[in-house]
Amino acid sequence: MKTLAIFGAGPGMGRATARRFGKEGYQVALVARRADRLSSFVAKLTAEGVAARAFPADLNDIDAHPRLLADIGPVDVAVINGSLELARLKPVRDLDVETLRAVFETVVLAPVSLTRLMLPGMLERGSGALLYGFGSSAKNPEPMLAGGGAAQASLRNYVLALRADLAGTGVTAAGITIGALIRDSDAEKLFDTSADARRGFDPERVDPADLAEMLWGMATTGEPAEQVVGA
């Protein structure tokens, strides 16, 4: 049975993606900080016939990544999301070195660490997909979101370069850039309850099942290099 691992699994796109791949016979490893919430995800997915397991972990603890991947086992498809705290989404004039350093650790270095641990196995098997989530400011600079945009742009560059390097290996790397609110997600809940989160934006909202379908297509066909939603 093939394994899908979702790093930074949430109630929106994460759970929808688990459901989509589970329908195709994948077993799913859900990774996030909160053990209680992961357990609820697993219970609901199991009731729907998806073979799901929970792996509570702080993905920002890079030293713990090798043990985490050993516990999960070989990964055929990985969906990798870096974490970003609202307080670090600083406007560009307020962005300082310490904030940007902290953002890079969570948005860039943690995904790169996970990638480097999974990639050798995928290359040895001659198949696999590494899929990454970006915010719209990774591609379209937004002064109010500079704290996240600069780091996500760096990760996006890394992913596209990795994709080019992996050509012909059977392993693909690709990204989905989202400039919309994902329904049922933590971001949507925060946006609807916090003026600080809204910051004058009024984005469209997208169905997580549609995003999951995009990820399924990217994993199975290797195309395209990047899906752009609302950005």
Side-chain angles (χ1 to χ4, degrees):
M1 182 180 292
K2 291 185 176 182
T3 296
L4 163 72
I6 303 175
F7 299 95
M13 186 171 73
R15 195 162 59 184
T17 302
R19 187 176 294 116
R20 179 65 181 88
F21 280 73
K23 187 175 76 172
E24 303 294 339
Y26 278 70
Q27 64 179 354
V28 180
L30 302 173
V31 185
R33 284 194 184 97
R34 289 179 49 187
D36 58 337
R37 195 160 73 153
L38 284 181
S39 294
S40 72
F41 294 168
V42 168
K44 290 176 181 177
L45 289 166
T46 300
E48 296 171 7
V50 177
R53 297 178 294 162
F55 294 87
D58 180 358
L59 293 175
N60 297 330
D61 183 1
I62 291 176
D63 291 340
H65 285 181
R67 178 54 187 269
L68 171 64
L69 269 298
D71 289 344
I72 294 173
V75 174
D76 298 283
V77 178
V79 176
I80 306 172
N81 302 297
S83 64
L84 182 59
E85 296 177 8
L86 178 61
R88 290 174 175 161
L89 284 173
K90 292 186 177 182
V92 66
R93 293 192 191 187
D94 297 334
L95 186 59
D96 55 78
V97 170
E98 291 307 314
T99 297
L100 193 55
R101 179 181 290 118
V103 171
F104 263 79
E105 288 177 354
T106 61
V107 172
V108 182
L109 301 187
V112 169
S113 169
L114 292 167
T115 299
R116 288 178 57 81
L117 289 168
M118 290 183 286
L119 185 56
M122 291 182 176
L123 289 171
E124 184 176 347
R125 295 188 298 273
S127 65
L130 296 156
L131 308 175
Y132 305 77
F134 313 123
S136 62
S137 57
K139 187 173 183 179
N140 303 309
E142 169 53 58
M144 291 300 293
L145 302 175
Q152 292 195 13
S154 177
L155 179 62
R156 178 175 177 269
N157 183 285
Y158 168 81
V159 171
L160 295 178
L162 179 62
R163 177 185 177 83
D165 185 63
L166 292 174
T169 66
V171 181
T172 188
I176 182 167
T177 297
I178 304 172
L181 278 178
I182 303 170
R183 294 194 183 279
D184 301 323
S185 67
D186 293 330
E188 183 183 52
K189 182 178 180 180
L190 181 63
F191 186 88
D192 287 342
T193 58
S194 169
D196 287 341
R198 289 192 290 275
R199 301 189 182 197
F201 292 102
D202 185 22
E204 66 176 285
R205 307 199 182 207
V206 296
D207 188 332
D210 293 338
L211 303 178
E213 191 64 38
M214 290 180 186
L215 290 171
W216 171 254
M218 295 164 83
T220 53
T221 69
E223 298 293 340
E226 182 179 17
Q227 291 274 17
V228 180
V229 179

